[in-house]
Amino acid sequence: MSEQNGLPRHIAIIMDGNGRWARKRGLTRIRGHIEGVKSVREITEECAKRHIGQITLYAFSSENWSRPRLEIELLMRLLKRYLIRERKTIMDNNIRFTVIGRIEALPRDVQEEIAEEIEMSKNNTGMILCLALNYGGRAEIVDAAIKLARKVKEGKILPEDINEETLRENMYTAGMSDPDLLIRTGGDMRVSNFLLWEISYTELWVTPVYWPDFHKENLEEALRDYAFRERRYGGLVQ
Ligand code: FPP
């Protein structure tokens, strides 16, 4: 079959396997997350260089709160350190930083670093780097429903005005394009409550490689595979 697509405009990534990567080496889970941050940096820079429009990374799910308290604390500390240390990479690569999720439930100091990152990079014109933090796909749909219900109550819209488009405009991802490609590392064939609404027609690509072992070459493989996918969006082949 011939090549069908160019580069994806928007890539979403479920970065899984940090814990297993660490366990295989007799290390603590947090060491896996620390190593995972290196992959975040490498893949972000590579995508920016390839002029991908947006990457959305699943960094902390709403279900991750059920992990041991120490792991959550260390993840939050790691996230804060990442936000501070990554400023140069973000600015050097003309990246615009943003987030999706229930950010208000994150520790205050992390929220402050997020706000600063967004402010600092708001005029950048290159790739959008979106971190999904305390994010759940079902919660996103619920939050959009609440916003719309409020607008109806306030008489700003009628119930009949609610359709796929208005719902989309009230999601955390309002104004963003839907992902063209969803990459999941760590081998599990699941969507895990990530971008449920937005991935209706997204191409899925799963690799057994653990996230800390995911490098440019692995991304290249995913992009090559994507190029040959036939996207029909429910229609027929032309
Ligand atoms: C899954 O590994 C990974 C996460 C919980 C989130 C990803 C976090 C990072 C890459 C590090 C922090 C990120 C930033 C941006 C600072 P897992 O623990 O579920 O692995 P397992 O399935 O092998 O247990």
Side-chain angles (χ1 to χ4, degrees), residues 14 16 182-192 205-207:
I14 301 177
D16 201 14
L182 170 64
I183 296 175
R184 178 169 189 143
T185 62
D188 287 331
M189 298 286 183
R190 282 195 287 276
V191 171
S192 297
W205 192 81
V206 178
T207 173

Side-chain angles (χ1 to χ4, degrees), residues 174-238:
M176 298 175 184
S177 66
D178 288 342
D180 301 293
L181 173 65
L182 170 64
I183 296 175
R184 178 169 189 143
T185 62
D188 287 331
M189 298 286 183
R190 282 195 287 276
V191 171
S192 297
N193 205 15
F194 192 38
L195 301 173
L196 294 183
W197 178 279
E198 297 85 348
I199 59 167
S200 294
Y201 290 101
T202 299
E203 296 295 323
L204 308 181
W205 192 81
V206 178
T207 173
V209 172
Y210 296 145
W211 178 248
D213 284 332
F214 191 87
H215 298 295
K216 288 196 270 219
E217 299 70 29
N218 307 91
L219 176 72
E220 171 71 37
E221 195 189 335
L223 295 177
R224 233 180 305 128
D225 215 51
Y226 171 81
F228 286 91
R229 298 278 180 96
E230 193 179 84
R231 306 191 73 191
R232 291 193 298 276
Y233 303 94
L236 299 174
V237 192
Q238 300 296 312

